[in-house]
Amino acid sequence: MKNVESIFQKPLETAFKEALTYLRNLDSMPAGVSTDLKTLRQRLDRPLTPEGVPAEQVISELIHDVEGGLIGSAGGRFFGWVIGGTLPAAMAADWMTSAWDQNAGLYACAPAAAVVEEIVGFWLKGLFSLPPESSFALVTGSQMAHVTCLAAARHALLERAGWDVERKGLFGAPAIRLLASGHQHGTVDRAVRLLGLGTEHIESLESDIASRMLPGALEKALESHSGAPVIVLLQAGDINTGGFDQFEQIVPMARRHNAWVHVDGAIGLWAAASPRYRHQTLGMEGADSWVTDGHKWLNTPYDCGFAFVKDAGAHRASMSHRASYLTHDEDARDQLDWNPEWSRRARGFATYAALRQLGREGIADLVERCGHHARALVAGIGALPGVRIMWKPIINQGMVRFLDPRQGATEEDHDRRTEEVMAAIQAQGEAFFGGTTWHGRRCMRISVSSWMTDDDDVARAVAAVRRAMGD
Ligand SMILES: *Cc1c(COP(=O)(O)O)cnc(C)c1O
């Protein structure tokens, strides 16, 4: 008999102990990295020996070698990009997911994982008030959620044009127009590339200061080339402004022209789960497909995004996979009929745990708390002399810019000053912010999406910015 205790106990205990130490130290550790590429390569490039290394030693050495090369996104003072922390229940469920080692490709391989995903899909549709008949897929992130949704769109639009895209491919197919604000996330463009739709077919329409597509510009674009298959690419939560497209005006307009409406809600779909922010998403439920992430605002571990498609038939037709060696279940849900992957992590467990730990009110509270802290950060940093507030948060995203105090300083000088202050904040390590170029100007982005962030973190971050400015 295998002695499971002696095989697993030591490496798992080491991992458990070290994980707790890591989480405990987050509060005093730099929020950014404290080592460099050369050091990491030197440390990690150990010889791949012929004889192997005991598991416990592997894990201990790995933990030692990565030190300083981990970004503090699990902590409360990380405001770069849109990167959330991890909720305790989600982390524990993720550990169990590894222990259980299920291949969540289909029901027969991993029955419990299939059922958990079914329930998660149902819960999420409810939280976001999406049409109950919508199908869904738990994918690696919004990138693959875009691919999944736009594959369904491609199927539906070309089927209407009498073209079987799964069988014939795109050679000779009618071109699909893609109408966007020009502020769509790069993952949308990449999905368009992967699906063979061609980024040349994306038309950037006029947008407002919040990166929202102008309804008038859309109306005009829809009226030209009337009859051509069209996908309208909308956003719930722009990465810079957190702006939401005006769904109530835009969605019915797109409908009248038989366009497919796709919503990138990687960040902002969560606004629909909060009474305070829900109004931003009004009319969004009339779209055809929606994307969001679990690993951002829901605070699950990475490898967690969600795709929803109103036309379940189109979704399934674009993804379904049948093979004689597989055991399909007619009653249960086989994930590979909805997902672009085959073998896959049972990522539903972590989402299930996160949703249950928070509950409906906890989710709303997480969203609202992040919005509150984002406003407090922008107000606190914006009140420092020499700071210009560029964007006050609509949800959890804001922007500031640091001004060169010299007489006659130009916008380019302010760009330089902004870079300098951001670098000084990074070097200090007390807080982490990212930069962006917005309307041609360098800005510091302030993005709050961790359940860990509290008032103390906000005060410490504002103080850190003041110090970095040389005060
Ligand atoms: C992060 C993000 C994405 C990409 O999501 P991944 O999970 O990283 O693939 C897409 N759109 C927006 C608006 C985002 O913020």
Side-chain angles (χ1 to χ4, degrees):
M1 214 177 90
K2 288 190 188 64
N3 188 344
V4 169
E5 296 274 301
S6 74
I7 296 169
F8 281 104
Q9 192 156 340
K10 279 186 177 174
L12 289 184
E13 274 179 2
T14 301
F16 175 67
K17 196 170 101 280
E18 293 288 343
L20 277 182
T21 304
Y22 181 77
L23 295 170
R24 199 180 302 120
N25 290 347
L26 275 171
D27 208 43
S28 52
M29 260 167 35
V33 297
S34 57
T35 187
D36 57 20
L37 176 64
K38 192 162 158 251
T39 311
L40 287 170
R41 280 189 177 143
Q42 267 167 2
R43 283 200 223 135
L44 288 156
D45 188 15
R46 293 173 182 269
L48 186 58
T49 52
E51 69 278 15
V53 176
E56 191 205 357
Q57 186 187 338
V58 171
I59 198 72
S60 299
E61 287 177 353
L62 176 65
I63 290 162
H64 167 268
D65 292 351
V66 300
E67 209 180 306
L70 304 171
I71 214 157
S73 52
R77 272 166 288 106
F78 190 89
F79 310 111
W81 303 289
V82 188
I83 290 185
T86 297
L87 289 160
M91 194 187 299
D94 193 59
W95 290 2
M96 292 312 297
T97 304
S98 293
W100 291 330
D101 190 33
Q102 301 292 286
N103 182 345
L106 69 172
Y107 177 80
C109 276
V115 172
V116 154
E117 288 193 32
E118 228 172 67
I119 292 163
V120 160
F122 176 77
W123 282 348
L124 290 173
K125 284 188 282 177
L127 280 171
F128 302 140
S129 302
L130 300 180
E133 72 272 25
S134 307
S135 52
F136 60 89
L138 276 66
V139 291
T140 50
S142 286
Q143 172 69 77
M144 287 314 289
H146 285 312
V147 170
T148 304
C149 289
L150 295 179
R154 185 179 71 166
H155 171 90
L157 291 173
L158 293 180
E159 186 184 47
R160 276 183 226 157
W163 189 268
D164 181 346
V165 69
E166 281 74 33
R167 211 162 54 79
K168 294 187 172 182
L170 281 169
F171 298 105
I176 295 176
R177 294 174 77 202
L178 298 127
L179 305 179
S181 68
H183 296 279
Q184 74 277 7
H185 196 269
T187 50
V188 174
D189 293 57
R190 199 152 64 152
V192 166
R193 277 160 51 194
L194 291 173
L195 291 165
L197 299 175
T199 49
E200 199 179 280
H201 297 279
I202 302 177
E203 296 169 40
S204 295
L205 307 181
E206 233 183 306
S207 57
D208 67 11
I209 188 80
S211 311
R212 304 181 306 174
M213 182 185 281
L214 295 185
L218 178 65
E219 181 86 78
K220 215 154 79 199
L222 287 167
E223 273 162 11
S224 70
H225 310 87
S226 183
V230 178
I231 299 173
V232 177
L233 297 165
L234 301 180
Q235 295 202 99
D238 176 74
I239 51 160
N240 287 317
T241 66
F244 291 73
D245 273 307
Q246 299 165 79
F247 303 112
E248 278 185 300
Q249 262 182 285
I250 286 184
V251 173
M253 192 186 283
R255 282 260 156 277
R256 280 197 299 280
H257 291 270
N258 296 315
W260 180 287
V261 181
H262 175 68
V263 178
D264 181 354
I267 311 171
L269 217 60
W270 294 98
S274 141
R276 183 189 169 115
Y277 290 116
R278 189 170 295 144
H279 64 279
Q280 299 283 359
T281 66
L282 285 179
M284 183 185 78
E285 69 287 350
D288 295 282
S289 53
W290 308 261
V291 154
T292 195
D293 271 323
H295 52 216
K296 288 180 180 171
W297 221 348
L298 181 61
N299 286 213
T300 67
Y302 279 87
D303 193 57
C304 188
F306 314 114
F308 304 91
V309 181
K310 187 179 172 184
D311 180 349
H315 181 184
R316 187 166 187 156
S318 63
M319 284 298 156
S320 71
H321 178 77
R322 298 259 140 179
S324 57
Y325 73 98
L326 299 178
T327 316
H328 295 285
D329 194 289
E330 288 314 313
D331 217 8
R333 181 178 183 274
D334 285 333
Q335 293 96 320
L336 50 71
D337 282 335
W338 309 98
N339 274 71
E341 312 122 316
W342 202 133
S343 297
R344 58 193 275 281
R345 184 169 182 77
R347 59 179 70 94
F349 290 125
T351 304
Y352 180 87
L355 293 171
R356 282 207 64 210
Q357 188 195 321
L358 294 174
R360 282 175 174 281
E361 283 177 12
I363 294 164
D365 179 60
L366 171 62
V367 170
E368 289 163 22
R369 229 166 353 108
C370 288
H372 166 77
H373 293 315
R375 287 193 302 280
L377 277 167
V378 170
I381 296 170
L384 301 173
V387 179
R388 185 186 290 161
I389 295 177
M390 300 298 281
W391 194 261
K392 286 186 184 162
I394 296 173
I395 42 169
N396 60 340
Q397 312 291 317
M399 284 179 280
V400 296
R401 180 164 160 80
F402 298 96
L403 306 181
D404 186 328
R406 290 175 305 175
Q407 193 85 42
T410 62
E411 290 298 332
E412 285 68 33
D413 293 326
H414 301 327
D415 283 344
R416 211 171 305 121
R417 171 75 177 153
T418 301
E419 289 297 343
E420 274 169 20
V421 176
M422 286 195 298
I425 299 169
Q426 293 271 2
Q428 247 180 38
E430 178 82 344
F432 189 107
F433 296 93
T436 189
T437 300
W438 190 62
H439 292 278
R441 290 293 157 227
R442 291 301 288 163
C443 298
M444 185 173 89
R445 275 182 72 214
I446 295 167
S447 174
V448 185
S449 29
S450 176
W451 69 277
M452 283 274 229
T453 300
D454 60 17
D455 292 335
D456 181 50
D457 290 314
V458 170
R460 282 172 65 179
V462 173
V465 173
R466 179 189 290 131
R467 282 198 304 280
M469 289 175 73
D471 203 10

